Amino acid sequence: MGCRFCEGLRGVIDLIRPANCVSAGTGPAAAALAVGARPWTAAALFGSGFFAYAAGVALNDILDRKRDAVERPERPIPRGAVGVVAAVFVVALCATASLTFAALTSMKLILWYVLVLLLAAGYDALKKRPSFRY
């Protein structure tokens, strides 16, 4: 058995699926570089895309936790590596990080990211109809 902190950290890493987040960040960064943006702008867009995706997959796991307990028990929430409250905190932290990176590029971009985050959250909430019980 490893330390509890390490197990929790591993659970959070599994929850946000960082390999997928990298793909989500490269699109905005590559587009920025393609139109001649400065490297720091591309880096900020990468961070914003990375953390927006992380927030989305973590929220999806929260809303799918009952189904995942049956169909995907290896996922972090059903296996007990991350609690629901901690997962909600991860979603909030990742969404905040995404908006912070967006703010480094443009205030208009923040409005777009807020819209995207709200649409993603709304889609998940309406599609899955969560009970929000712990």
Side-chain angles (χ1 to χ4, degrees), residues 9 14 18 24 36 40 49 71 100 109-110 120:
L9 182 59
D14 290 347
W40 66 267
E71 296 176 6
T100 301
L109 187 58
I110 292 175

Side-chain angles (χ1 to χ4, degrees), residues 21-41:
C21 295
V22 169
S23 329
T26 56
L33 291 173
V35 298
R38 293 190 169 117
W40 66 267
T41 300

Side-chain angles (χ1 to χ4, degrees), residues 48 51-52 54-56 89-101 113 117:
S48 190
F51 285 109
F89 180 75
V90 168
V91 169
L93 190 64
C94 288
T96 301
S98 176
L99 293 172
T100 301
F101 277 109
Y113 268 86
L117 291 170

Side-chain angles (χ1 to χ4, degrees), residues 8 13 21 29 37 44 46-47 74 81 87 123 132:
I13 290 169
C21 295
F46 174 85
E74 73 281 358
Y123 169 79
F132 290 107

Side-chain angles (χ1 to χ4, degrees), residues 39-129:
W40 66 267
T41 300
L45 289 171
F46 174 85
S48 190
F50 181 99
F51 285 109
Y53 189 89
V57 295
L59 177 62
N60 187 61
D61 276 11
I62 292 167
L63 298 174
D64 274 351
R65 68 187 181 274
K66 290 179 183 175
R67 177 183 291 166
D68 286 348
V70 175
E71 296 176 6
R72 295 181 184 102
E74 73 281 358
R75 290 236 169 129
I77 295 174
R79 78 172 190 255
V82 177
V84 175
V85 173
V88 169
F89 180 75
V90 168
V91 169
L93 190 64
C94 288
T96 301
S98 176
L99 293 172
T100 301
F101 277 109
L104 295 174
T105 62
S106 162
M107 293 306 285
K108 288 180 186 176
L109 187 58
I110 292 175
L111 296 175
W112 283 108
Y113 268 86
V114 167
L115 179 63
V116 168
L117 291 170
L118 289 175
L119 287 172
Y123 169 79
D124 273 348
L126 291 174
K127 181 181 176 210
K128 311 216 185 218
R129 299 184 187 183

